[in-house]
Amino acid sequence: MLESEFIASLIAASMRAGTPLLFATLGEIITERSGVLNLGLEGVMITGAMVGFYFSYVTGNPWIGILAGGFAGLLLAMVHAFFTVTLKVDQAVTGLMLVLFGLGITGFLGRGLVGEVASYLQPVKLPLLSEIPYIGTAVFSHDPLVYIGILIVPLLWFFMNKTRYGMELYAVGENPEAADTVGISVDRIRFIAVLTGGFLVGIAGAHLSLAYAKVWTDGLTAGRGWICLALVIFSGWMPQRAIFGAYLFGGLDVLSFKLQAAGLGVSYHFMRMVPYIFTILVLLFSVIREREKFGAPSALGKPYIREQKY
Amino acid sequence: MSLLLWQGGKGCNFYKLVEHYQGIEINMGNRKTKTERGWALQGENSDIILEMKNITKVFPGVVANDRVNLEVRRGEIHGLLGENGAGKTTLMSILYGLYRPDEGEIIFDGEKRVFSSPKDAIESGIGMVHQHFMLVNKMSALNNILLGYKTPGDPLLDYEWAREKIRSIIEVYGIDAELDERVINMSVGEEQRVEILKSLFRDVKLLILDEPTSVLTPIESERLFQALKRMSEKGLTVLFITHKLREALEVTDRITVLRKGRNVGTLITKRTDEKELARLMVGREIDMKIEKKRVEAGKDVLKLENVYARNDRGLMALKGISLSVREGEILGIAGVSGNGQKELEEVIIGLRPVEKGKILFNGEDITFSSVRKRTRLGISCIPENRIETGLAPSLTIEENLILRDYESFSRNGFMEFDMIEAHAEKLVEEYGIKTPSTKAPARTLSGGNIQRLIIARELSRNPLFLIASQPTRGLDIAGIDYVRRKLISLAEEGKAILLISEDLEEIVQISDRIAVIFEGEIRGIFDRENVDIDRIGLLMSGGADN
């Protein structure tokens, strides 16, 4: 059963399924690195998915859909940033509000889109490379966003570790007061980080509806936003580790279909549970491991107010 | 040009003040006093690097700065002296752009400036080392120094260039730090040097240091003073905020004293003394000496036998501590912080499990007793961390005052509010806690009043034994005086007191016996009669006892 062809198609599917997780995880890593927790991933992601699908459906251009999804995410992130950064409201509450809002509004506005077909992102076979047997189908025959996702990882790593902006982002998330006293505008950096994060999460959603599922259904994200929150912890807030987590979870996601198709006698419902069970295990694991705790931004979830007299 | 920085407040007599303080410099035309320290004699005005005029800042309910004037000369070490709440930090935060003044203007380096954020202040050449260090713990010293700085090739980071620049700073000023070490692994002294490097890296002309010695050991303080003197020699101006008279006298050239948000005088350090400064600072004479009557020590109240305990990181922090505290005596624990003092406090009060050994209280084994049981037996505690373990900041003063014995203020499970109120009013009166209402949340109190509240609670329950951990840290002169007197009078009543303090002077002043702790071990115990400060200092820093 475990033939090379099966493995090749499994890898291919893992990458495809893992890409939305990757975008969303990277987005949340940027957000959380600045010290802002956005629990609203699920809501932002599904809004990106619906808006992206709608724009592709109307314009016939999936790229416009992808961008529209990104901007929808950015818009919701702006709400989050306004409440948490500008007004210093509790970050968890605002995030949860976004989840409920996103799920609700997409269910409502997306009714007309259910069952419709929008033009989706076509896979691009990379010349020569895609002709390599097995590996070609597994790795080199994907839609462009998959490759873009892979490219973003080293770029983001470089940005976070090798530039002044990356260092400022880190400092703002670790000790906003220290950043403030060397003249870094904490609020501005947090705002930018939350917006950038929202944009990536929106794109993640749009990829889900325009490249992975290729349809719009109510509740399309099915908890992927929550999984990504766990993936952020799993990756220790490092983009280079996020990609492994994302592909692993993408793989678990598609494995259920693949094994089903392969005629394995395991209940479909059980297989659907696997990624979520895995999420729980990841969280348990990361609590035990000291290093993960060390990776968390120290000021995560704490609003920063300068003129605090006590 | 008059240098007398004086505020004409109500009820003050200007001429009397002038008459009184001969040390105040009235004329500053051509000065020769400082040339040996290396700054050139220049024209009158170019000598002044900073002028703050009529600075007023009002916080809700408090006037933190009331028309304060401050004049600082180029290349001097200028002390800013005042008690807690005198407005020193507020004034400096205004200068550093953290707060906006309600009124007044700042002239720095010959130009009128408005600092709306630290960025503006840094750009015009002002650096500040805050009381609580502003460092990112998980980053290396180098990254902390670089943070927010545009190296050549920005936004990329040019580490080589930065290292080169830091190296030259280290050469000039002799302030050293391990650049690649993470701040989290550093001692406070080293953290402070990183903070100073951070400012020097930005080519500051004026460096503000806010209570820089409050966390340092005597040796580290001395090292800091040397560095400050070198900076001043190289033409850098230093503004040194402190409430310690001795330090101000030791290291500064001139001193400005703030009291209750006002400038009460600027003095030349050489022409003043401790007594005059104290009087200016507090507004009344303070007897700096406290005498403890010798009380015949009675039987052992608390006894530790070979106690071992681990710290939060799981390492052994107490390694076989044996000591006893007797009726009517104060046993002082001297040592540099982080040598097991915190663990010792927690082991006795019952917050930290004992690995091995025994704790006896009046002969009863309480090694495994709960905190509540120990409290009932008569153990009281003034904890090191007042705000976090000493009280519940959002509860009212009344509620905080019954925190340890709330059960005796209830009947059939209902709180007796009249009783609680009466209790609070009595203690507020008796212990002089300054607050508009006993129903105000405890967090609205100032540091000194928080300590009074805790002392009121712990002493009013008439304990047999008291642990006082760093009881005067961060308090002003009046507060320190108050706390020490209270501890002494308690001992004179025949209670046993364990005093844990980093302030060696305090320990020597009021203890009957002194135990030196180093790396979780008691390295020596001295009687009041044969205290040898040098030997204590040696034992505190791990030196061998011959």
Side-chain angles (χ1 to χ4, degrees), chain B residues 93-235:
Chain B
S93 297
I94 288 170
L95 178 57
Y96 195 59
L98 281 167
Y99 298 159
R100 290 267 196 116
D102 299 330
E103 269 169 53
E105 58 178 22
I106 300 171
I107 296 165
F108 180 71
D109 216 9
E111 267 177 62
K112 190 172 177 237
R113 318 260 180 162
V114 177
F115 300 132
S116 53
S117 78
K119 197 174 178 173
D120 299 342
I122 295 166
E123 275 168 9
S124 28
I126 297 176
M128 181 160 178
V129 174
H130 297 260
Q131 198 171 357
H132 306 284
F133 299 141
M134 299 290 176
L135 296 171
V136 182
N137 281 335
K138 290 180 202 164
M139 296 201 319
S140 67
L142 181 62
N143 275 332
N144 266 294
I145 293 169
L146 269 184
L147 182 60
Y149 192 89
K150 288 179 187 163
T151 56
D154 183 72
L156 296 185
L157 300 165
D158 191 340
Y159 283 111
E160 274 322 299
W161 180 86
R163 273 177 206 278
E164 196 49 52
K165 181 163 179 178
I166 296 169
R167 215 170 291 142
S168 64
I169 294 170
I170 290 174
E171 252 168 52
V172 174
Y173 297 107
I175 299 164
D176 208 352
E178 190 65 57
L179 290 183
D180 294 307
E181 185 65 81
R182 282 188 197 220
V183 170
I184 205 167
N185 299 327
M186 289 182 169
S187 69
V188 269
E190 203 171 357
E191 282 183 40
Q192 188 172 61
R193 292 196 287 280
V194 174
E195 275 281 21
I196 294 174
L197 280 175
K198 206 163 101 184
S199 283
L200 296 178
F201 189 77
R202 286 161 172 76
D203 300 315
V204 295
K205 298 173 189 140
L206 172 74
L207 182 64
I208 308 165
L209 294 148
D210 190 359
E211 307 263 354
T213 58
S214 58
V215 291
L216 299 184
T217 62
I219 299 159
E220 281 174 323
S221 298
E222 198 42 53
R223 216 177 137 182
L224 174 71
F225 293 159
Q226 296 305 327
L228 293 184
K229 282 176 182 155
R230 268 195 302 279
M231 286 179 206
S232 152
E233 276 162 23
K234 304 277 177 199

Side-chain angles (χ1 to χ4, degrees), chain B residues 470-501:
Chain B
Q470 316 292 357
T472 59
R473 181 192 276 171
L475 298 191
D476 53 36
I477 293 189
I480 290 171
D481 187 62
Y482 176 83
V483 171
R484 289 184 186 163
R485 282 177 200 282
K486 272 284 170 200
L487 291 181
I488 287 170
S489 72
L490 193 68
E492 283 171 355
E493 283 169 32
K495 312 291 159 80
I497 297 174
L498 183 71
L499 170 68
I500 301 175
S501 176

